[in-house]
Amino acid sequence: VAAFEKPATDPSAFTRPATTVLSPHLKFGCLSPRTFHARLLEIYHAHPKHAQPPVSLRGQLLWREFFYTVGAHTPNFHRMEGNPICRQIDWDDNQERVRAWAEARTGYPWIDAIMTQLREWGWVHHLARHSVACFLTRGDLYCSWEAGQAVFEELLLDQDHFLNAANWQWLSASAFFSQYFRVYSPISFGKKYDPDGRYIKQFLPVLKNFPAKYIYEPWTAPLEVQQRAGCIIGRDYPKPIVDHAVASKACISRIAAAYRAGKAAAGEDGEDGDEGASPSKPSSSKGGAKARKTSASATAGSVKADAEEGGAAGGKKTGKGRQRTLAETVASAAAATAAAATGGLHAAAAAQGAAAGAAAAVGGSQGGGKGKAAGKAASAAGKRQRTLMESGVTKT
């Protein structure tokens, strides 16, 4: 308990889950978050070298309160339009892709195994949630996070309104997190935890006879290997719904264009791929259509350039007002809850949540500074934001 660090846990563990799996108990009120918090503090007092927020168990409770805070003070928090902290992005309305994703028919075993576990068990590890959320939105299919939110709302035992909405906005790079070019691979991410594909074989038994070499990419197996495995790709298991190598670059380019369109609508400047792109101002349907048209126009002819630019993890960024709107919203919401709170957990969560939110919000904005100190600050900020991305889903 004292040493628990959530990003270090294994999303492919299913015989014995790598996290506490207490989230349904918290959601239904079987476990009081105040009691949980008090017991954690007792354990931490007995073990001074314990893990720290945002990755510790206490950090997960603080994330929970943080998202409640922001959600309670943000109009239309569960949707894109009318949500002042959510970027207005021209997501595709492709219901067939959404259904294929929800029904575990994408042709990517890692994604389909997760969605199968979700439907059968009502729970999946937070990094598994990251994988499928990224795949549906900014990673591969470019479908709205609201569609994914609805599926999770239906299937998750621990579905919690504000947490669900917040995490979908986070993973789609619509709010809280803006490094949209950091995409979860539907192939290599699961493989680093489970190279033999035990998780896939558990939830997709149709693939159980495939050699480990092909389990994450069964469409690459020669026909004789597929025949020996008793599974022909395209007949017994779907072919990939998209080519990840191509689709991810196109998604990066489109979301970069949407960020630019949002900044233009807000009257701000900044370079493509700016990590600090602010949410566009809520607009009318007419304004939203104009933003989508601008975004689509900006995308044309620039897929390759944007994908190459967005694929880089580092690089200096320039532009004004990076994450100013989000940081101010987070701080304001946290302050409001801290002022209204009657107990220690909410006040502590508001204060530390605001600090975590501000770090995530402004973390990418230091890259354009001069001198050695600014460079160190940029590196530390980037590391913090990557850690926050990995710990952002608050289901324990």
Side-chain angles (χ1 to χ4, degrees):
V1 171
F4 179 91
E5 291 189 348
K6 193 164 186 181
T9 56
D10 181 358
S12 70
F14 60 90
T15 304
R16 182 178 180 181
T19 58
T20 68
V21 199
L22 288 174
S23 50
H25 302 275
L26 286 165
K27 182 262 174 78
F28 287 106
C30 304
L31 172 63
S32 162
R34 290 179 182 273
T35 299
F36 189 13
H37 184 253
R39 288 290 293 120
L40 280 175
L41 293 185
E42 291 176 8
I43 293 171
Y44 290 162
H45 181 72
H47 299 82
K49 294 184 179 181
H50 57 79
Q52 297 290 337
V55 299
S56 64
L57 271 178
R58 184 169 185 251
Q60 306 317 302
L61 283 175
L62 297 180
W63 276 118
R64 181 176 183 268
E65 300 300 319
F66 169 64
F67 283 146
Y68 280 161
T69 298
V70 180
H73 291 82
T74 304
N76 302 304
F77 190 62
H78 63 294
R79 59 181 182 162
M80 182 176 75
E81 289 196 18
N83 181 341
I85 70 168
C86 183
R87 291 176 178 82
Q88 306 298 295
I89 297 174
D90 60 327
W91 303 112
D92 290 340
D93 182 14
N94 190 324
Q95 293 304 306
E96 175 49 39
R97 284 190 170 186
V98 172
R99 283 192 294 271
W101 172 83
E103 296 169 4
R105 295 187 287 105
T106 69
Y108 284 92
W110 173 244
I111 300 300
D112 292 342
I114 294 169
M115 295 306 294
T116 301
Q117 183 190 16
L118 174 60
R119 190 168 292 276
E120 293 180 356
W121 288 23
W123 184 91
V124 289
H125 187 277
H126 85 283
L127 290 178
R129 302 180 197 209
H130 282 206
S131 294
V132 296
C134 182
F135 186 88
L136 178 67
T137 58
R138 63 186 172 86
D140 290 84
L141 302 186
Y142 211 73
C143 294
S144 172
W145 62 267
E146 293 179 53
Q149 174 187 244
V151 172
F152 272 29
E153 184 173 310
E154 175 189 357
L155 299 178
L156 275 175
L157 288 173
D158 59 20
Q159 191 281 138
D160 201 317
H161 179 73
F162 287 145
L163 307 187
N164 194 26
N167 286 309
W168 273 99
Q169 289 175 75
W170 186 305
L171 268 300
S172 64
S174 296
F176 306 109
F177 177 79
S178 58
Q179 294 182 355
Y180 55 82
F181 43 81
R182 296 188 182 279
V183 171
Y184 285 86
S185 168
I187 300 167
S188 62
F189 184 73
K191 189 182 294 186
K192 74 178 183 178
Y193 294 96
D194 181 19
D196 295 328
R198 294 177 299 104
Y199 178 81
I200 291 171
K201 294 177 180 182
Q202 168 70 24
F203 292 102
L204 298 178
V206 69
L207 299 175
K208 67 181 180 181
N209 294 324
F210 269 85
K213 178 180 179 180
Y214 301 111
I215 193 66
Y216 285 88
E217 301 173 271
W219 62 91
T220 65
L223 181 58
E224 57 270 24
V225 173
Q226 297 181 36
Q227 290 171 336
R228 285 199 301 271
C231 176
I232 304 300
I233 303 304
R235 185 190 72 189
D236 305 306
Y237 180 74
K239 293 180 179 179
I241 191 171
V242 293
D243 180 340
H244 172 68
V246 175
S248 62
K249 289 183 175 63
C251 287
I252 289 170
S253 179
R254 289 185 66 182
I255 203 166
Y259 269 48
R260 290 196 299 271
K263 290 175 72 68
E268 299 178 9
D269 62 1
E271 294 183 355
D272 297 351
D274 188 350
E275 296 166 7
S278 297
S280 61
K281 296 177 181 178
S283 58
S284 64
S285 297
K286 182 177 180 180
K290 182 177 180 181
R292 286 190 291 273
K293 183 177 180 181
T294 302
S295 174
S297 175
T299 303
S302 66
V303 170
K304 184 173 184 295
D306 282 335
E308 291 174 347
E309 180 178 322
K316 294 183 178 181
K317 306 292 181 182
T318 62
K320 299 177 182 178
R322 290 174 170 156
Q323 293 296 52
R324 186 172 56 244
T325 302
L326 179 55
E328 290 172 353
T329 300
V330 166
S332 175
T337 294
T342 57
L345 176 56
H346 288 285
Q352 295 201 30
V362 303
S365 68
Q366 306 301 322
K370 297 179 180 180
K372 187 175 181 180
K376 289 182 178 179
S379 176
K383 289 179 180 178
R384 283 198 303 275
Q385 187 150 351
R386 286 193 293 275
T387 298
L388 292 172
M389 177 187 180
E390 293 175 348
S391 64
V393 175
T394 59
K395 309 292 192 263
T396 58

